[in-house]
Amino acid sequence: MPSINKVASPVGAALRDSQTANFAEADAELIHTLHGRNRTLCELIKGSSADTTSAPASPLNPSGFTGIDHSGPPWGICIRHPLCYFSSYYDATNFVNQRAPIISALSTEELLFEVRFFVKPFPSSVRNTPYSKGFLFWTIENTSGAGSTGVTAEILDVRGEDTIVSSAITETVAASTKTSYEETSDPIPLSPGFNHFKIKMDSASYNVRLHEFSINQIKKVSH
Amino acid sequence: MATIENASYVGANAYEVDPDSYTNRLTVHNAAGDAALVKNLSTGNHATQVTHDGTNGSLLSVPVVNQVMPITLVNNPVGTVDRWIAGRSDADNTYGWISPIRIPTGETMLSLSMTSTGTDDPNDVSMRVYFKKVHILNTSGVLVDEVSMNYASVRTGIEQWNSVWVGTFRSLTADVTRLIGVLYPKGDGFGNDLEEDVFNITVAFSRSVPTRPQSSARTVEPSGATTPNPYTVPTTTVSGSETMNFTDIDSTLVLEDLPITSHLLTTINQNQNALTEYLTGASAGTNNALTLNPSGGAEADSPTQGVFYDHSKSDNSLGRPVDFPVWSEGFGAIDTDFLGIPDYCDDRLSEPPGLSVSGALSNIQVATASVRVPNFPNGGSSLLYGVFAYAVTSAVDVAITAKVQAENLATSTKAVASASGTAAASGGLVVIEVTAIDFWPDVLNKFNIKMDVDSKNTGSGQVRFLGGSLHFRRS
C-alpha cells in the first residue's frame, strides 16, 4: 500500500484574512492550507523533505536543491559578496615584483581583462533580482603629479567588439592621488552560472595604476 | 500552560484535511506546532542547527575563487609585467597558479576552470599544455588529490583564440582548508616555448543547473486584484525597524471540546505570513510589497536591526553562522617543492611578490583585496578567517607573520588581526591562519594584507607570498 504523504501547498499559498475571520465558512481548505504551508516552510528552512517518508513537495531552488539558498526572493534575501576580483599593491619598498598594472594614456594601449567568472544560480525569471546586476569597484592611482585624468572602463562582449554597458564608467583621478570608486550606476548584466566578457580600461591624459578591482553583488531583495 | 512547539515536523495527511473528515484537536494543535518549529529552526532556537551544509539547509553554491588577470594590448611599455604567464619548465614541476581555499561543509564536488591562450595552433604548443592537472594539497603541501585538466571550449578573443580548461573533483573532503593549484609537468621535449597567458581562474561547485521549472516570487499584485495587501503580516517595531512578530499559541487554546476559533486560525495564518516574508524575502500571498521593513529599508547597509533570515546576528536570532567564501586569490607560480620560482614567470605578474634576498621585513603590504562583505557578525563575534600561503628558502628557521586589517571607503580602519608561522630550515611551504578578523559588515572593505619576516632570514632568503583566502566559517 502506498504511504499517505503529508499535504503540501505552493510556496505562494496563503489564506486571506477574510477566510479566517469570524463567521467565515468552515472550509476544509483552511486546515489544508495551514498544514500545506507548514510543510513548504519547513522544507524551505530544512533544505530537505519535511516528511521523511516522501520526496520534497516544494520546488527546487535555482541551485537545484530544496530550500532557501539566499539567491534572491523567493529563495531568501541575498548576502552581499564579490563576484570576481583582481588584487595587487604597489609602493617603493624593497619587495620584489610588487606590482599594480598600468592603465596607459595612449589611445592605442588599453588595459584589458578577459573576465570569466561563476555567479551562483539565481532566479533569473524574477525581474531585477539582486544577482542580475554586478557593480564595479576600482582603486586607481594617478602618479603623474601633472594633473587629473579621466579613467574609463567599458564592458565589452567576449570578442571585444560590442559594448555591453552602453555608458562607459568614467572617473576623474586627481594628480598624485590614489582613489577608490564603488560604482552605483551602469550595472553589468549577469546570468546564472558562467559569465564571460571583457573590461577595457583606459586613461585620457596620464598613465595611472590600477591597484585592485572587483565586481560585487550589492543588493539583497531587488534592484 | 505551554506554548505549542513541535520538536519535529508532524504535518497532516490527506484524510485529516478531507472535507468529510471530522476535525481532530491534534490536527489544529499540530498546525500551530509545526509553524512554531519553522520559527525555532530559522531563528537558531532549536537543537538542529541550520547551517546550509546540505543536510540542514540548502547548500549556498557560492564560488570559492573568481580571480581575473589583466591583459595588455600590443605596444604597452609595461606589457610583460602585466601578464600572468604560466607554462612548462624544463627542470621542475611547477604550479602555474596556486591559492589557499576553504572547502565549505557539505561541498564535495569542486571544479577549477581556467581561461588561457594556446589553442590557435592545436597541433603544436596547445597540444602539449594539455597535460596540466589540478592538485588539491593540504596545508603542509602534501598532495591530497589530483585530476587532469580537460580542454573544454574555445573562445574568440581580440587577437587570439583562447581556451577554457576544466578539472573536476567529485569526492573531496569538506570543511577543511586546502591549497588548490594548476600543475604544469616539467619538460617540453620539443624545444618549443610552452608558455601561455592565463586570464582568469574560477573554482566553483560542479553541478548542473536544474532544468525543472522553478517557482518565482509573486512580488506584485496580480492583474485583476482589487484589494491590496489582503494578507496581514504581523510585525513589531524594534529600534525603528519593523521586525517579524510571531505569536506563540498556548496549548490551552486547543484543548478537547473547545471550539476552533477565528482567533486561533488567524494567528496561525498570520504567523505563516510573517515566516514567509522572513524566510523568502518575498511578500506573503499576493501582497504587493513586503511588510517587514528594516531600518533604512531592505537594501540598507548594515541595518542596526536585521529583520530577514540572513545570519546577521551574533545571538543567532536571524539564523546560525554559515560557511561562506569571500575571496581567494593566487599571487604567483612556484615549483612543486615550494623552493624555487619558475623561470617562465620572471618579472611577470605570475612571479609571486616578496623577498628575493636575506633580511627582515616589517609590516610590508603585499596586497589589497577590496570586496563587499556579508552582513555577518563582526567585532568580537567575527568568524571571518584568513589563510595565507608563503614559499620560504631561508637557511634557518624563520618566523613569518601574516596581518590583515580592514579599511572602509572613508579610510577608517579596524584592528589588525595577525598570526605567525615558522618555516623550517629546509624551507618550503608555510600556511598561516588568521582568525577573528574584524570588518565592516555589508559594505565594501579594503583588506590590507601585510607581512613581517624576522631577522633570522638568511641564505638565499626567498620569502614569497603565494596567495590568500578570506572566508566565514560556522564556528
Side-chain angles (χ1 to χ4, degrees):
Chain A
M1 245 181 105
S3 62
I4 299 172
N5 295 329
K6 308 296 185 180
V7 295
S9 294
V11 173
L15 296 174
R16 289 176 183 268
D17 293 345
S18 58
Q19 291 176 277
T20 59
N22 280 325
F23 307 114
E25 185 180 357
D27 193 332
E29 181 66 20
L30 299 181
I31 299 295
H32 185 290
T33 301
L34 292 179
H35 271 286
R37 289 183 82 190
N38 273 341
R39 175 165 184 170
T40 303
L41 289 167
C42 193
E43 292 184 352
L44 288 178
I45 185 66
K46 281 183 65 181
S48 58
S49 179
D51 172 28
T52 54
T53 64
S54 63
S58 55
L60 299 179
N61 63 31
S63 298
F65 300 116
T66 298
I68 296 294
D69 67 352
H70 293 294
S71 59
W75 302 108
I77 71 163
C78 291
I79 294 169
R80 293 168 171 169
H81 69 105
L83 302 171
C84 77
Y85 30 76
F86 166 76
S87 305
S88 67
Y89 187 78
Y90 181 86
D91 65 13
T93 67
N94 56 351
F95 249 32
V96 295
N97 209 41
Q98 201 173 27
R99 66 278 156 106
I102 298 291
I103 302 174
S104 172
L106 296 178
S107 60
T108 56
E109 302 165 2
E110 298 115 350
L111 186 66
L112 195 69
F113 286 86
E114 180 170 338
V115 176
R116 182 176 182 271
F117 58 94
F118 187 87
V119 176
K120 71 174 276 179
F122 61 85
S124 52
S125 59
V126 178
R127 196 161 61 94
N128 288 328
T129 192
Y131 273 99
S132 64
K133 297 173 183 176
F135 291 83
L136 181 70
F137 171 88
W138 47 347
T139 297
I140 302 156
E141 181 182 13
N142 182 347
T143 58
S144 71
S148 63
T149 183
V151 183
T152 300
E154 286 184 275
I155 313 300
L156 308 171
D157 75 348
V158 71
R159 295 189 180 201
E161 294 169 349
D162 296 322
T163 302
I164 294 175
V165 175
S166 55
S167 56
I169 299 162
T170 301
E171 300 292 351
T172 300
V173 193
S176 305
T177 60
K178 185 166 76 172
T179 313
S180 295
Y181 302 93
E182 188 175 34
E183 307 295 347
T184 54
S185 59
D186 299 312
I188 302 165
L190 300 172
S191 303
F194 277 102
N195 288 256
H196 198 167
F197 51 84
K198 287 185 172 169
I199 302 178
K200 185 177 76 173
M201 297 177 178
D202 51 34
S203 175
S205 306
Y206 304 103
N207 285 1
V208 296
R209 287 187 180 278
L210 173 71
H211 278 256
E212 71 267 358
F213 90 82
S214 57
I215 295 173
N216 296 277
Q217 189 286 109
I218 68 171
K219 292 289 186 178
K220 299 177 180 177
V221 175
S222 179
H223 286 282
Chain B
M1 295 195 300
T3 299
I4 301 172
E5 294 177 334
N6 288 348
S8 59
Y9 173 76
V10 178
N13 64 37
Y15 295 145
E16 290 178 81
V17 297
D18 185 85
D20 294 327
S21 66
Y22 75 99
T23 306
N24 189 310
R25 179 187 73 86
L26 285 177
T27 304
V28 180
H29 182 281
N30 286 330
D34 283 346
L37 168 67
V38 173
K39 189 256 297 184
N40 288 339
L41 283 169
S42 61
T43 55
N45 191 29
H46 193 277
T48 299
Q49 299 189 11
V50 178
T51 58
H52 290 293
D53 62 1
T55 302
N56 292 304
S58 171
L59 293 172
L60 295 177
S61 303
V62 178
V64 175
V65 178
N66 268 329
Q67 179 178 354
V68 296
M69 295 83 158
I71 314 164
T72 48
L73 297 183
V74 291
N75 301 323
N76 191 315
V78 288
T80 55
V81 177
D82 291 347
R83 293 161 54 204
W84 189 290
I85 306 294
R88 301 186 66 167
S89 167
D90 282 342
D92 299 294
N93 294 327
T94 64
Y95 292 118
W97 175 93
I98 190 166
S99 174
I101 60 169
R102 179 76 181 179
I103 302 176
T105 309
E107 294 285 5
T108 57
M109 297 176 67
L110 273 184
S111 186
L112 185 146
S113 177
M114 178 178 105
T115 309
S116 66
T117 53
T119 58
D120 56 334
D121 182 8
N123 295 316
D124 190 24
V125 173
S126 61
M127 191 174 69
R128 275 163 274 133
V129 292
Y130 267 125
F131 301 108
K132 292 191 289 280
K133 293 180 183 294
V134 185
H135 277 188
I136 296 272
L137 313 168
N138 66 18
T139 53
S140 299
V142 177
L143 181 65
V144 174
D145 203 349
E146 72 168 15
V147 292
S148 295
M149 292 194 87
N150 297 313
Y151 167 64
S153 63
V154 174
R155 299 287 183 181
T156 307
I158 289 178
E159 297 181 323
Q160 71 282 314
W161 291 78
N162 297 334
S163 58
V164 178
W165 307 85
V166 177
T168 300
F169 299 91
R170 301 195 181 281
S171 59
L172 283 176
T173 301
D175 198 21
V176 291
T177 301
R178 297 289 196 224
L179 280 84
I180 187 167
V182 178
L183 173 78
Y184 288 77
K186 64 183 177 183
D188 64 32
F190 295 89
N192 289 323
D193 183 6
L194 293 177
E195 295 179 353
E196 60 178 350
D197 286 31
V198 178
F199 301 134
N200 50 65
I201 292 197
T202 286
V203 179
F205 308 104
S206 181
R207 290 190 282 268
S208 58
V209 175
T211 54
R212 275 174 52 182
Q214 301 157 22
S215 169
S216 63
R218 289 176 301 180
T219 55
V220 295
E221 187 78 355
S223 173
T226 56
T227 308
N229 297 313
Y231 302 89
T232 297
V233 180
T235 62
T236 188
T237 302
V238 178
S239 302
S241 292
E242 295 289 338
T243 64
M244 180 177 73
N245 185 12
F246 187 98
T247 303
D248 291 331
I249 296 173
D250 196 274
S251 59
T252 55
L253 293 178
V254 261
L255 294 177
E256 200 75 42
D257 298 329
L258 285 182
I260 299 172
T261 64
S262 162
H263 170 71
L264 183 59
L265 299 185
T266 298
T267 301
I268 297 172
N269 183 53
Q270 293 186 351
N271 281 345
Q272 291 175 334
N273 291 347
L275 284 169
T276 297
E277 287 206 359
Y278 168 73
L279 279 177
T280 69
S283 55
T286 52
N287 284 352
N288 56 16
L290 287 166
T291 302
L292 292 181
N293 184 24
S295 173
E299 302 295 347
D301 294 339
S302 305
T304 52
Q305 289 290 331
V307 301
F308 297 103
Y309 173 64
D310 65 358
H311 313 276
S312 63
K313 284 194 172 180
S314 58
D315 64 2
N316 303 327
S317 59
L318 298 178
R320 297 271 182 177
V322 296
D323 288 344
F324 197 96
V326 176
W327 168 87
S328 290
E329 198 164 332
F331 279 80
I334 192 74
D335 291 350
T336 54
D337 59 7
F338 297 97
L339 294 173
I341 311 295
D343 290 341
Y344 58 70
C345 63
D346 244 6
D347 288 335
R348 265 79 177 265
L349 188 68
S350 48
E351 180 181 347
L355 273 175
S356 62
V357 294
S358 60
L361 287 177
S362 177
N363 213 34
I364 297 299
Q365 186 151 353
V366 290
T368 303
S370 294
V371 290
R372 277 270 185 164
V373 180
N375 186 21
F376 289 167
N378 67 344
S381 302
S382 172
L383 291 170
L384 180 61
Y385 286 70
V387 177
F388 305 96
Y390 307 84
V392 182
T393 64
S394 172
V396 299
D397 290 3
V398 59
I400 299 168
T401 302
K403 299 177 176 179
V404 192
Q405 184 175 36
E407 178 185 336
N408 67 10
L409 290 181
T411 69
S412 297
T413 53
K414 294 287 188 182
V416 176
S418 65
S420 298
T422 302
S426 56
L429 175 69
V430 177
V431 175
I432 299 172
E433 180 176 290
V434 181
T435 62
I437 301 168
D438 199 5
F439 61 97
W440 277 271
D442 230 15
V443 298
L444 196 125
N445 283 239
K446 302 178 75 170
F447 290 101
N448 296 313
I449 301 164
K450 300 181 180 182
M451 63 187 284
D452 293 345
V453 176
D454 75 8
S455 56
K456 295 177 186 172
N457 181 34
T458 58
S460 61
Q462 299 254 15
V463 180
R464 300 296 185 110
F465 179 58
L466 297 178
S469 173
L470 295 167
H471 51 262
F472 289 92
R473 297 187 195 168
R474 293 168 301 151
S475 58

